[in-house]
């Protein structure tokens, strides 16, 4: 018997729709598109998922204005969340969470962050407390931000769009660096662009690569097997 942990995100979404929700809203949704939405969302990096949910909550969190029964002159706003598949189809929370493959706790954490900090990226625990990774320097969020900015600029100059298809259709396409590029060559270019007295000169190759894979998952090095003709 197959373990449900081995199911793909697509299959998990289809399984949920077969069982359905208590209110029946899940029966109103096109099954394949629902499953593709979950698959696409789960393909995003953690930071991209956070931003997507924050934008969603900005739209779906609403308020209903009413008068207080006890204090007639007092106006209160009761916060309600209206989950949607599209403009015409409302969803219950259970169906919405299954559409993205997330838990209620994660959604509430994003909501609390949005209320307290606004629409800015969360700094995840693994970035705040990064180990030293065979380097004498401390890898903190400031170092991570410098590496992130460098890779974004590097990809803007040298990168090519994802050939053939858009992998993450919700927000971010893959960006491929030329096949002749290597992680070591990018690390060398990173160090070459630093000032001589910069503390980041001691950032080792392994630490640089781990930051890359952790923060910029959509920037990849093109395999020679990819047909460049598909891009044009």
């Amino acid at each position: 018997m197959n373990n449900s942990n081995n199911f793909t995100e697509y299959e998990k979404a289809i399984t949920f729709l077969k069982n359905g929700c208590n209110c029946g809203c899940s029966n109103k949704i096109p099954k394949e598109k629902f499953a593709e939405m979950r698959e696409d969302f789960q393909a995003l990096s953690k930071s991209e998922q956070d931003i997507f949910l924050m934008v969603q909550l900005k739209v779906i969190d609403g308020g209903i204005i009413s008068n207080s029964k006890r204090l007639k002159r007092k106006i209160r706003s009761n916060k309600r969340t209206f989950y949607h598949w599209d403009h015409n189809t409302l969803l219950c929370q259970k169906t919405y969470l299954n559409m993205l493959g997330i838990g209620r706790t994660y959604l509430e954490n994003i909501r609390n962050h949005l209320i307290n900090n606004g629409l800015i990226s969360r700094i995840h625990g693994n970035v705040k407390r990064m180990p030293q990774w065979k380097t004498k320097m401390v890898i903190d969020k400031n170092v991570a931000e410098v590496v992130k900015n460098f890779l974004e600029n590097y990809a803007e100059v040298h990168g090519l769009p994802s050939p053939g298809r858009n992998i993450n259709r919700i927000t971010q396409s893959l960006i491929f660096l030329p096949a002749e590029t290597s992680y070591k060559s990018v690390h060398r270019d990173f160090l070459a662009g630093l000032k001589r007295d910069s503390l980041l000169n001691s950032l080792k190759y392994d630490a640089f690569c781990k930051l890359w894979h952790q923060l910029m998952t959509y920037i990849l090095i093109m395999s020679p097997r990819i047909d460049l003709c598909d891009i044009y």
Side-chain angles (χ1 to χ4, degrees):
M1 184 173 73
N2 288 334
N3 190 319
S4 61
N5 291 332
N6 294 327
F7 286 180
T8 65
E9 296 299 331
Y10 190 98
E11 291 168 332
K12 290 176 183 177
I14 294 297
T15 299
F16 167 75
L17 290 178
K18 286 180 180 178
N19 297 323
C21 62
N22 295 330
C23 70
C25 68
S26 57
N27 296 327
K28 304 174 184 178
I29 305 169
K31 290 183 172 55
E32 290 187 1
K33 290 184 178 180
F34 182 89
E36 287 174 0
M37 172 66 83
R38 175 163 175 157
E39 191 175 49
D40 287 348
F41 181 81
Q42 289 298 317
L44 299 176
S45 69
K46 197 66 175 176
S47 295
E48 289 171 333
Q49 290 180 354
D50 288 354
I51 292 296
F52 176 83
L53 282 174
M54 281 188 266
V55 172
Q56 285 269 295
L57 288 171
K58 276 287 204 180
V59 175
I60 65 180
D61 271 355
I64 296 178
I65 306 300
S66 62
N67 291 322
S68 171
K69 292 182 178 179
R70 290 185 302 168
L71 303 172
K72 297 299 182 182
R73 295 183 179 179
K74 185 175 180 181
I75 296 176
R76 62 186 178 184
S77 176
N78 298 319
K79 201 74 170 179
R80 291 187 62 188
T81 300
F82 299 92
Y83 303 101
H84 289 266
W85 166 254
D86 54 30
H87 295 297
N88 300 317
T89 309
L90 287 172
L91 302 179
C92 65
Q93 186 185 70
K94 181 179 180 180
T95 299
Y96 181 81
L97 295 177
N98 275 278
M99 179 180 72
L100 301 178
I102 61 174
R104 184 175 178 179
T105 300
Y106 176 36
L107 182 67
E108 292 304 320
N109 288 340
I110 294 295
R111 179 180 277 115
N112 291 333
H113 172 84
L114 184 62
I115 293 170
N116 295 323
N117 303 286
L119 194 61
I120 61 173
S121 298
R122 293 198 303 168
I123 302 297
H124 292 281
N126 56 356
V127 175
K128 287 181 181 177
R129 299 183 293 275
M130 287 181 179
Q132 293 192 2
W133 294 333
K134 299 181 182 180
T135 181
K136 295 180 180 179
M137 67 179 297
V138 176
I139 309 298
D140 58 16
K141 63 180 181 180
N142 294 321
V143 174
E145 190 66 23
V146 172
V147 173
K148 180 176 180 290
N149 290 338
F150 167 80
L151 290 172
E152 284 178 340
N153 293 331
Y154 196 93
E156 185 174 348
V157 174
H158 302 284
L160 296 167
S162 173
R165 64 191 180 109
N166 184 350
I167 301 297
N168 293 336
R169 292 190 292 270
I170 296 176
T171 57
Q172 180 66 62
S173 300
L174 296 180
I175 297 176
F176 284 94
L177 299 177
E180 61 269 20
T181 307
S182 67
Y183 289 107
K184 286 193 174 182
S185 69
V186 178
H187 179 241
R188 285 196 300 269
D189 290 342
F190 171 76
L191 295 179
L194 299 174
K195 296 179 180 179
R196 289 189 178 183
D197 59 349
S198 174
L199 295 176
L200 274 75
N201 280 305
S202 60
L203 183 66
K204 300 297 184 184
Y205 168 72
D206 288 346
F208 177 82
C209 288
K210 288 188 178 183
L211 281 171
W212 183 339
H213 295 318
Q214 195 169 55
L215 302 173
M216 309 298 287
T217 55
Y218 62 90
I219 300 177
L220 306 172
I221 294 175
M222 182 176 291
S223 167
R225 292 174 294 178
I226 293 176
D227 186 359
L228 290 175
C229 295
D230 289 341
I231 299 173
Y232 302 105

